Amino acid sequence: MAEEVLLFGVWESAFSRRVEIALKLKGIHYKYIEEDLANKSPSLLKYNPVHKKIPVLVHNGKPIAESQVILEYIDETWQGHPLLPKDPYERAVARFWAKFIDDK
C-alpha cells in the first residue's frame, strides 16, 4: 500500500516552506494543496479544527498541525537523512535558532 502524504499550505508562508523543505530533504513524495486563507477549504477545517491554520500534514489520513510538530513527526517517521544534528548540544542550538526565527 502506498503512503498518502498531503501538505496543506500557502506559498508565501515560511512555516509551509519549512515543512516542504523537510519533505524534500527526506525524499518523501507528497501532494501539495494550496490554501486560500480568505476562503479556507472544508478539508483544512476538517484536518485542523482547533487553529484552522496552515501548515497541516496529513499522513495516511492522520492530520498533524503546527510546523514544529510536523517537522518532529517527519523526522521520527522517516528515519533517513535526519533533519537535526546527532549531537545533543548541536540539536539544542538548532532548536534555539528555529524558535528564535519563529518568534520574530
mmCIF file of all heavy atoms in Angstrom, residues 57-97:
data_model
loop_
_atom_site.group_PDB
_atom_site.id
_atom_site.type_symbol
_atom_site.label_atom_id
_atom_site.label_comp_id
_atom_site.label_asym_id
_atom_site.label_seq_id
_atom_site.Cartn_x
_atom_site.Cartn_y
_atom_site.Cartn_z
ATOM 1 N N LEU A 57 -0.043 18.656 7.776
ATOM 2 C CA LEU A 57 0.416 17.462 7.083
ATOM 3 C C LEU A 57 -0.588 16.363 7.375
ATOM 4 O O LEU A 57 -0.986 16.181 8.530
ATOM 5 C CB LEU A 57 1.802 17.051 7.600
ATOM 6 C CG LEU A 57 2.393 15.820 6.928
ATOM 7 C CD1 LEU A 57 3.029 16.211 5.593
ATOM 8 C CD2 LEU A 57 3.419 15.153 7.826
ATOM 9 N N VAL A 58 -1.007 15.656 6.339
ATOM 10 C CA VAL A 58 -1.908 14.520 6.516
ATOM 11 C C VAL A 58 -1.164 13.284 6.006
ATOM 12 O O VAL A 58 -0.808 13.210 4.824
ATOM 13 C CB VAL A 58 -3.238 14.710 5.761
ATOM 14 C CG1 VAL A 58 -4.152 13.520 5.990
ATOM 15 C CG2 VAL A 58 -3.914 16.010 6.191
ATOM 16 N N HIS A 59 -0.902 12.345 6.914
ATOM 17 C CA HIS A 59 -0.168 11.126 6.569
ATOM 18 C C HIS A 59 -1.113 9.942 6.739
ATOM 19 O O HIS A 59 -1.523 9.630 7.855
ATOM 20 C CB HIS A 59 1.059 10.982 7.474
ATOM 21 C CG HIS A 59 1.870 9.771 7.200
ATOM 22 N ND1 HIS A 59 2.514 9.084 8.188
ATOM 23 C CD2 HIS A 59 2.147 9.114 6.043
ATOM 24 C CE1 HIS A 59 3.158 8.064 7.669
ATOM 25 N NE2 HIS A 59 2.945 8.052 6.365
ATOM 26 N N ASN A 60 -1.460 9.343 5.619
ATOM 27 C CA ASN A 60 -2.400 8.211 5.615
ATOM 28 C C ASN A 60 -3.679 8.534 6.396
ATOM 29 O O ASN A 60 -4.150 7.739 7.206
ATOM 30 C CB ASN A 60 -1.727 6.948 6.150
ATOM 31 C CG ASN A 60 -0.650 6.434 5.226
ATOM 32 O OD1 ASN A 60 -0.729 6.613 4.013
ATOM 33 N ND2 ASN A 60 0.364 5.808 5.778
ATOM 34 N N GLY A 61 -4.214 9.722 6.152
ATOM 35 C CA GLY A 61 -5.478 10.123 6.764
ATOM 36 C C GLY A 61 -5.371 10.722 8.153
ATOM 37 O O GLY A 61 -6.362 11.178 8.707
ATOM 38 N N LYS A 62 -4.159 10.745 8.728
ATOM 39 C CA LYS A 62 -3.976 11.286 10.077
ATOM 40 C C LYS A 62 -3.353 12.678 9.994
ATOM 41 O O LYS A 62 -2.234 12.824 9.506
ATOM 42 C CB LYS A 62 -3.068 10.376 10.901
ATOM 43 C CG LYS A 62 -3.598 8.983 11.080
ATOM 44 C CD LYS A 62 -2.597 8.156 11.864
ATOM 45 C CE LYS A 62 -2.752 6.698 11.536
ATOM 46 N NZ LYS A 62 -1.624 5.911 11.991
ATOM 47 N N PRO A 63 -4.058 13.715 10.472
ATOM 48 C CA PRO A 63 -3.547 15.077 10.366
ATOM 49 C C PRO A 63 -2.599 15.455 11.500
ATOM 50 O O PRO A 63 -2.778 15.043 12.641
ATOM 51 C CB PRO A 63 -4.816 15.922 10.435
ATOM 52 C CG PRO A 63 -5.761 15.110 11.262
ATOM 53 C CD PRO A 63 -5.440 13.672 10.959
ATOM 54 N N ILE A 64 -1.588 16.238 11.151
ATOM 55 C CA ILE A 64 -0.657 16.820 12.121
ATOM 56 C C ILE A 64 -0.577 18.305 11.806
ATOM 57 O O ILE A 64 -0.336 18.686 10.655
ATOM 58 C CB ILE A 64 0.746 16.172 12.033
ATOM 59 C CG1 ILE A 64 0.679 14.661 12.286
ATOM 60 C CG2 ILE A 64 1.697 16.802 13.034
ATOM 61 C CD1 ILE A 64 0.765 13.850 11.067
ATOM 62 N N ALA A 65 -0.770 19.137 12.817
ATOM 63 C CA ALA A 65 -0.740 20.589 12.644
ATOM 64 C C ALA A 65 0.467 21.177 13.382
ATOM 65 O O ALA A 65 1.073 20.515 14.223
ATOM 66 C CB ALA A 65 -2.030 21.206 13.170
ATOM 67 N N GLU A 66 0.766 22.427 13.063
ATOM 68 C CA GLU A 66 1.871 23.202 13.656
ATOM 69 C C GLU A 66 3.202 22.756 13.053
ATOM 70 O O GLU A 66 3.600 21.599 13.185
ATOM 71 C CB GLU A 66 1.908 23.089 15.178
ATOM 72 C CG GLU A 66 0.669 23.623 15.857
ATOM 73 C CD GLU A 66 0.498 25.137 15.691
ATOM 74 O OE1 GLU A 66 1.503 25.878 15.682
ATOM 75 O OE2 GLU A 66 -0.649 25.572 15.575
ATOM 76 N N SER A 67 3.895 23.674 12.427
ATOM 77 C CA SER A 67 5.093 23.323 11.660
ATOM 78 C C SER A 67 6.157 22.607 12.486
ATOM 79 O O SER A 67 6.741 21.624 12.017
ATOM 80 C CB SER A 67 5.687 24.559 10.988
ATOM 81 O OG SER A 67 6.142 25.493 11.934
ATOM 82 N N GLN A 68 6.429 23.058 13.698
ATOM 83 C CA GLN A 68 7.470 22.414 14.502
ATOM 84 C C GLN A 68 7.077 20.966 14.859
ATOM 85 O O GLN A 68 7.902 20.068 14.813
ATOM 86 C CB GLN A 68 7.757 23.215 15.771
ATOM 87 C CG GLN A 68 9.015 22.785 16.486
ATOM 88 C CD GLN A 68 10.267 22.935 15.640
ATOM 89 O OE1 GLN A 68 10.440 23.893 14.912
ATOM 90 N NE2 GLN A 68 11.139 21.957 15.732
ATOM 91 N N VAL A 69 5.818 20.762 15.172
ATOM 92 C CA VAL A 69 5.328 19.411 15.467
ATOM 93 C C VAL A 69 5.416 18.545 14.207
ATOM 94 O O VAL A 69 5.820 17.378 14.276
ATOM 95 C CB VAL A 69 3.880 19.465 16.009
ATOM 96 C CG1 VAL A 69 3.311 18.076 16.205
ATOM 97 C CG2 VAL A 69 3.824 20.268 17.302
ATOM 98 N N ILE A 70 5.079 19.113 13.066
ATOM 99 C CA ILE A 70 5.156 18.385 11.801
ATOM 100 C C ILE A 70 6.595 17.973 11.512
ATOM 101 O O ILE A 70 6.862 16.839 11.121
ATOM 102 C CB ILE A 70 4.585 19.229 10.635
ATOM 103 C CG1 ILE A 70 3.079 19.455 10.818
ATOM 104 C CG2 ILE A 70 4.869 18.558 9.291
ATOM 105 C CD1 ILE A 70 2.488 20.476 9.864
ATOM 106 N N LEU A 71 7.536 18.887 11.727
ATOM 107 C CA LEU A 71 8.945 18.568 11.479
ATOM 108 C C LEU A 71 9.420 17.420 12.358
ATOM 109 O O LEU A 71 10.127 16.520 11.890
ATOM 110 C CB LEU A 71 9.818 19.800 11.706
ATOM 111 C CG LEU A 71 9.634 20.939 10.714
ATOM 112 C CD1 LEU A 71 10.504 22.118 11.111
ATOM 113 C CD2 LEU A 71 9.930 20.500 9.302
ATOM 114 N N GLU A 72 9.040 17.447 13.619
ATOM 115 C CA GLU A 72 9.416 16.355 14.520
ATOM 116 C C GLU A 72 8.792 15.041 14.056
ATOM 117 O O GLU A 72 9.445 13.998 14.067
ATOM 118 C CB GLU A 72 8.994 16.680 15.950
ATOM 119 C CG GLU A 72 9.791 17.813 16.556
ATOM 120 C CD GLU A 72 9.266 18.287 17.901
ATOM 121 O OE1 GLU A 72 8.389 17.611 18.490
ATOM 122 O OE2 GLU A 72 9.730 19.343 18.362
ATOM 123 N N TYR A 73 7.534 15.089 13.628
ATOM 124 C CA TYR A 73 6.856 13.893 13.128
ATOM 125 C C TYR A 73 7.573 13.342 11.896
ATOM 126 O O TYR A 73 7.816 12.133 11.792
ATOM 127 C CB TYR A 73 5.395 14.222 12.798
ATOM 128 C CG TYR A 73 4.638 13.047 12.232
ATOM 129 C CD1 TYR A 73 4.083 12.087 13.071
ATOM 130 C CD2 TYR A 73 4.492 12.875 10.855
ATOM 131 C CE1 TYR A 73 3.399 10.987 12.557
ATOM 132 C CE2 TYR A 73 3.812 11.791 10.331
ATOM 133 C CZ TYR A 73 3.267 10.850 11.188
ATOM 134 O OH TYR A 73 2.600 9.760 10.673
ATOM 135 N N ILE A 74 7.907 14.216 10.961
ATOM 136 C CA ILE A 74 8.599 13.793 9.739
ATOM 137 C C ILE A 74 9.916 13.119 10.097
ATOM 138 O O ILE A 74 10.249 12.050 9.583
ATOM 139 C CB ILE A 74 8.840 15.008 8.809
ATOM 140 C CG1 ILE A 74 7.513 15.469 8.190
ATOM 141 C CG2 ILE A 74 9.858 14.669 7.718
ATOM 142 C CD1 ILE A 74 7.600 16.795 7.454
ATOM 143 N N ASP A 75 10.679 13.744 10.994
ATOM 144 C CA ASP A 75 11.990 13.202 11.350
ATOM 145 C C ASP A 75 11.881 11.854 12.058
ATOM 146 O O ASP A 75 12.718 10.978 11.865
ATOM 147 C CB ASP A 75 12.741 14.206 12.223
ATOM 148 C CG ASP A 75 14.238 14.184 11.983
ATOM 149 O OD1 ASP A 75 14.663 13.739 10.895
ATOM 150 O OD2 ASP A 75 14.988 14.615 12.863
ATOM 151 N N GLU A 76 10.838 11.683 12.874
ATOM 152 C CA GLU A 76 10.661 10.422 13.597
ATOM 153 C C GLU A 76 10.050 9.326 12.729
ATOM 154 O O GLU A 76 10.312 8.143 12.945
ATOM 155 C CB GLU A 76 9.785 10.655 14.835
ATOM 156 C CG GLU A 76 10.454 11.523 15.882
ATOM 157 C CD GLU A 76 9.517 11.989 16.978
ATOM 158 O OE1 GLU A 76 8.309 11.645 16.947
ATOM 159 O OE2 GLU A 76 9.983 12.726 17.864
ATOM 160 N N THR A 77 9.249 9.707 11.745
ATOM 161 C CA THR A 77 8.552 8.734 10.905
ATOM 162 C C THR A 77 9.432 8.210 9.776
ATOM 163 O O THR A 77 9.415 7.015 9.486
ATOM 164 C CB THR A 77 7.261 9.359 10.327
ATOM 165 O OG1 THR A 77 6.441 9.781 11.426
ATOM 166 C CG2 THR A 77 6.479 8.369 9.487
ATOM 167 N N TRP A 78 10.174 9.097 9.145
ATOM 168 C CA TRP A 78 11.061 8.729 8.047
ATOM 169 C C TRP A 78 12.496 8.923 8.532
ATOM 170 O O TRP A 78 12.992 10.036 8.608
ATOM 171 C CB TRP A 78 10.768 9.561 6.809
ATOM 172 C CG TRP A 78 9.424 9.257 6.228
ATOM 173 C CD1 TRP A 78 9.112 8.215 5.410
ATOM 174 C CD2 TRP A 78 8.200 9.990 6.418
ATOM 175 N NE1 TRP A 78 7.772 8.257 5.086
ATOM 176 C CE2 TRP A 78 7.188 9.338 5.684
ATOM 177 C CE3 TRP A 78 7.863 11.145 7.120
ATOM 178 C CZ2 TRP A 78 5.882 9.789 5.638
ATOM 179 C CZ3 TRP A 78 6.557 11.596 7.090
ATOM 180 C CH2 TRP A 78 5.576 10.916 6.347
ATOM 181 N N GLN A 79 13.144 7.809 8.864
ATOM 182 C CA GLN A 79 14.426 7.837 9.562
ATOM 183 C C GLN A 79 15.607 8.362 8.734
ATOM 184 O O GLN A 79 16.533 8.919 9.302
ATOM 185 C CB GLN A 79 14.755 6.434 10.086
ATOM 186 C CG GLN A 79 13.726 5.898 11.065
ATOM 187 C CD GLN A 79 13.674 6.684 12.362
ATOM 188 O OE1 GLN A 79 14.710 6.981 12.934
ATOM 189 N NE2 GLN A 79 12.492 7.018 12.823
ATOM 190 N N GLY A 80 15.611 8.167 7.435
ATOM 191 C CA GLY A 80 16.748 8.589 6.617
ATOM 192 C C GLY A 80 16.950 10.091 6.612
ATOM 193 O O GLY A 80 16.002 10.860 6.727
ATOM 194 N N HIS A 81 18.179 10.521 6.490
ATOM 195 C CA HIS A 81 18.542 11.933 6.406
ATOM 196 C C HIS A 81 17.955 12.751 7.564
ATOM 197 O O HIS A 81 17.001 13.513 7.387
ATOM 198 C CB HIS A 81 18.104 12.551 5.072
ATOM 199 C CG HIS A 81 18.575 11.801 3.876
ATOM 200 N ND1 HIS A 81 19.904 11.712 3.524
ATOM 201 C CD2 HIS A 81 17.906 11.074 2.968
ATOM 202 C CE1 HIS A 81 20.020 10.983 2.437
ATOM 203 N NE2 HIS A 81 18.821 10.571 2.074
ATOM 204 N N PRO A 82 18.518 12.617 8.764
ATOM 205 C CA PRO A 82 17.981 13.356 9.923
ATOM 206 C C PRO A 82 17.975 14.863 9.681
ATOM 207 O O PRO A 82 18.897 15.408 9.070
ATOM 208 C CB PRO A 82 18.929 12.995 11.066
ATOM 209 C CG PRO A 82 19.893 12.009 10.549
ATOM 210 C CD PRO A 82 19.691 11.844 9.082
ATOM 211 N N LEU A 83 16.931 15.519 10.159
ATOM 212 C CA LEU A 83 16.817 16.966 10.000
ATOM 213 C C LEU A 83 17.678 17.722 11.002
ATOM 214 O O LEU A 83 18.097 18.848 10.736
ATOM 215 C CB LEU A 83 15.351 17.394 10.158
ATOM 216 C CG LEU A 83 14.371 16.811 9.139
ATOM 217 C CD1 LEU A 83 12.958 17.217 9.474
ATOM 218 C CD2 LEU A 83 14.751 17.238 7.722
ATOM 219 N N LEU A 84 17.926 17.124 12.151
ATOM 220 C CA LEU A 84 18.723 17.763 13.195
ATOM 221 C C LEU A 84 20.027 17.000 13.379
ATOM 222 O O LEU A 84 20.096 15.797 13.124
ATOM 223 C CB LEU A 84 17.950 17.789 14.519
ATOM 224 C CG LEU A 84 16.728 18.693 14.558
ATOM 225 C CD1 LEU A 84 15.954 18.472 15.854
ATOM 226 C CD2 LEU A 84 17.116 20.148 14.405
ATOM 227 N N PRO A 85 21.060 17.691 13.874
ATOM 228 C CA PRO A 85 22.333 17.008 14.141
ATOM 229 C C PRO A 85 22.169 15.903 15.182
ATOM 230 O O PRO A 85 21.250 15.934 16.008
ATOM 231 C CB PRO A 85 23.227 18.130 14.691
ATOM 232 C CG PRO A 85 22.568 19.408 14.319
ATOM 233 C CD PRO A 85 21.103 19.112 14.187
ATOM 234 N N LYS A 86 23.070 14.945 15.162
ATOM 235 C CA LYS A 86 23.037 13.831 16.109
ATOM 236 C C LYS A 86 23.466 14.276 17.510
ATOM 237 O O LYS A 86 22.913 13.819 18.509
ATOM 238 C CB LYS A 86 23.934 12.707 15.602
ATOM 239 C CG LYS A 86 23.750 11.406 16.308
ATOM 240 C CD LYS A 86 24.418 10.286 15.524
ATOM 241 C CE LYS A 86 23.985 8.942 16.014
ATOM 242 N NZ LYS A 86 22.748 8.461 15.453
ATOM 243 N N ASP A 87 24.426 15.169 17.586
ATOM 244 C CA ASP A 87 24.950 15.644 18.862
ATOM 245 C C ASP A 87 23.876 16.440 19.617
ATOM 246 O O ASP A 87 23.269 17.363 19.051
ATOM 247 C CB ASP A 87 26.175 16.537 18.621
ATOM 248 C CG ASP A 87 26.741 17.089 19.910
ATOM 249 O OD1 ASP A 87 27.361 16.313 20.654
ATOM 250 O OD2 ASP A 87 26.532 18.296 20.167
ATOM 251 N N PRO A 88 23.628 16.112 20.900
ATOM 252 C CA PRO A 88 22.581 16.797 21.666
ATOM 253 C C PRO A 88 22.779 18.314 21.766
ATOM 254 O O PRO A 88 21.814 19.071 21.673
ATOM 255 C CB PRO A 88 22.639 16.143 23.045
ATOM 256 C CG PRO A 88 23.267 14.812 22.813
ATOM 257 C CD PRO A 88 24.206 14.995 21.664
ATOM 258 N N TYR A 89 24.016 18.757 21.940
ATOM 259 C CA TYR A 89 24.261 20.200 22.028
ATOM 260 C C TYR A 89 23.942 20.886 20.702
ATOM 261 O O TYR A 89 23.273 21.923 20.674
ATOM 262 C CB TYR A 89 25.712 20.490 22.436
ATOM 263 C CG TYR A 89 26.002 21.977 22.419
ATOM 264 C CD1 TYR A 89 25.530 22.801 23.440
ATOM 265 C CD2 TYR A 89 26.702 22.557 21.361
ATOM 266 C CE1 TYR A 89 25.752 24.166 23.406
ATOM 267 C CE2 TYR A 89 26.922 23.918 21.325
ATOM 268 C CZ TYR A 89 26.455 24.721 22.350
ATOM 269 O OH TYR A 89 26.672 26.067 22.316
ATOM 270 N N GLU A 90 24.419 20.287 19.608
ATOM 271 C CA GLU A 90 24.150 20.872 18.291
ATOM 272 C C GLU A 90 22.656 20.881 17.984
ATOM 273 O O GLU A 90 22.148 21.815 17.363
ATOM 274 C CB GLU A 90 24.936 20.126 17.215
ATOM 275 C CG GLU A 90 26.431 20.353 17.312
ATOM 276 C CD GLU A 90 27.220 19.534 16.308
ATOM 277 O OE1 GLU A 90 26.615 18.932 15.393
ATOM 278 O OE2 GLU A 90 28.455 19.498 16.452
ATOM 279 N N ARG A 91 21.925 19.837 18.419
ATOM 280 C CA ARG A 91 20.465 19.810 18.252
ATOM 281 C C ARG A 91 19.820 20.946 19.036
ATOM 282 O O ARG A 91 18.907 21.610 18.556
ATOM 283 C CB ARG A 91 19.890 18.470 18.720
ATOM 284 C CG ARG A 91 19.767 17.453 17.633
ATOM 285 C CD ARG A 91 18.846 16.291 17.970
ATOM 286 N NE ARG A 91 18.883 15.809 19.335
ATOM 287 C CZ ARG A 91 19.679 14.859 19.789
ATOM 288 N NH1 ARG A 91 20.528 14.268 18.989
ATOM 289 N NH2 ARG A 91 19.623 14.481 21.045
ATOM 290 N N ALA A 92 20.294 21.169 20.267
ATOM 291 C CA ALA A 92 19.748 22.248 21.097
ATOM 292 C C ALA A 92 19.984 23.600 20.433
ATOM 293 O O ALA A 92 19.088 24.462 20.426
ATOM 294 C CB ALA A 92 20.369 22.206 22.489
ATOM 295 N N VAL A 93 21.159 23.803 19.869
ATOM 296 C CA VAL A 93 21.462 25.067 19.188
ATOM 297 C C VAL A 93 20.539 25.242 17.981
ATOM 298 O O VAL A 93 19.987 26.327 17.759
ATOM 299 C CB VAL A 93 22.953 25.125 18.777
ATOM 300 C CG1 VAL A 93 23.221 26.301 17.850
ATOM 301 C CG2 VAL A 93 23.841 25.195 20.019
ATOM 302 N N ALA A 94 20.353 24.185 17.211
ATOM 303 C CA ALA A 94 19.457 24.263 16.045
ATOM 304 C C ALA A 94 18.035 24.591 16.482
ATOM 305 O O ALA A 94 17.348 25.415 15.858
ATOM 306 C CB ALA A 94 19.495 22.950 15.267
ATOM 307 N N ARG A 95 17.568 23.969 17.568
ATOM 308 C CA ARG A 95 16.216 24.258 18.084
ATOM 309 C C ARG A 95 16.117 25.696 18.586
ATOM 310 O O ARG A 95 15.084 26.358 18.419
ATOM 311 C CB ARG A 95 15.847 23.278 19.181
ATOM 312 C CG ARG A 95 15.539 21.897 18.662
ATOM 313 C CD ARG A 95 15.084 20.973 19.783
ATOM 314 N NE ARG A 95 14.730 19.692 19.261
ATOM 315 C CZ ARG A 95 15.293 18.541 19.634
ATOM 316 N NH1 ARG A 95 16.206 18.522 20.575
ATOM 317 N NH2 ARG A 95 14.905 17.411 19.094
ATOM 318 N N PHE A 96 17.170 26.199 19.222
ATOM 319 C CA PHE A 96 17.185 27.589 19.680
ATOM 320 C C PHE A 96 16.961 28.533 18.507
ATOM 321 O O PHE A 96 16.115 29.430 18.572
ATOM 322 C CB PHE A 96 18.516 27.914 20.380
ATOM 323 C CG PHE A 96 18.694 29.387 20.612
ATOM 324 C CD1 PHE A 96 18.130 29.987 21.727
ATOM 325 C CD2 PHE A 96 19.393 30.173 19.706
ATOM 326 C CE1 PHE A 96 18.270 31.354 21.935
ATOM 327 C CE2 PHE A 96 19.533 31.537 19.906
ATOM 328 C CZ PHE A 96 18.974 32.134 21.024
ATOM 329 N N TRP A 97 17.726 28.333 17.419
ATOM 330 C CA TRP A 97 17.606 29.235 16.278
ATOM 331 C C TRP A 97 16.263 29.083 15.572
ATOM 332 O O TRP A 97 15.692 30.068 15.096
ATOM 333 C CB TRP A 97 18.769 29.033 15.314
ATOM 334 C CG TRP A 97 20.026 29.633 15.883
ATOM 335 C CD1 TRP A 97 21.140 28.968 16.297
ATOM 336 C CD2 TRP A 97 20.269 31.017 16.154
ATOM 337 N NE1 TRP A 97 22.056 29.856 16.804
ATOM 338 C CE2 TRP A 97 21.551 31.123 16.727
ATOM 339 C CE3 TRP A 97 19.531 32.178 15.981
ATOM 340 C CZ2 TRP A 97 22.104 32.335 17.116
ATOM 341 C CZ3 TRP A 97 20.082 33.403 16.367
ATOM 342 C CH2 TRP A 97 21.346 33.470 16.917
#
